[in-house]
Amino acid sequence: QNLSKMLKQVEHIGIAVKNLEAANLLYEKLLGVAPYKQEAVASENVVTSFFKTGEAKVELLEATSPESA
């Protein structure tokens, strides 16, 4: 497969943020929807929020320690 074909169906995009609460408010305004899921991922030392926009998802990630993956 070529890159162009693969990018037509992006499953999700992850965006690292410094402050998840502030980013949630911003992306809720930008996308017009609230996050549908929030979770802590202890194995990667992050907390995340997911927004659904069309067929794709936007994942916001905030580090919970300096060793975050």
Side-chain angles (χ1 to χ4, degrees), residues 16-37:
V17 299
K18 290 185 179 190
N19 181 313
L20 188 60
E21 186 177 337
N24 279 339
L25 293 173
L26 174 63
Y27 278 82
E28 189 170 339
K29 288 179 185 176
L30 291 172
L31 300 173
V33 295
Y36 70 89
K37 178 173 126 177

Side-chain angles (χ1 to χ4, degrees), residues 2-3 11-13 15 20 28 32 44 51 66:
N2 66 34
L3 184 59
E11 198 273 329
H12 86 277
I13 296 173
I15 301 170
L20 188 60
E28 189 170 339
E44 295 188 23
F51 292 81

Side-chain angles (χ1 to χ4, degrees), residues 38-55:
Q38 297 184 30
E39 66 181 347
V41 184
S43 63
E44 295 188 23
N45 297 313
V46 296
V47 290
T48 67
S49 289
F50 283 88
F51 292 81
K52 183 120 172 135
T53 175
E55 294 295 317

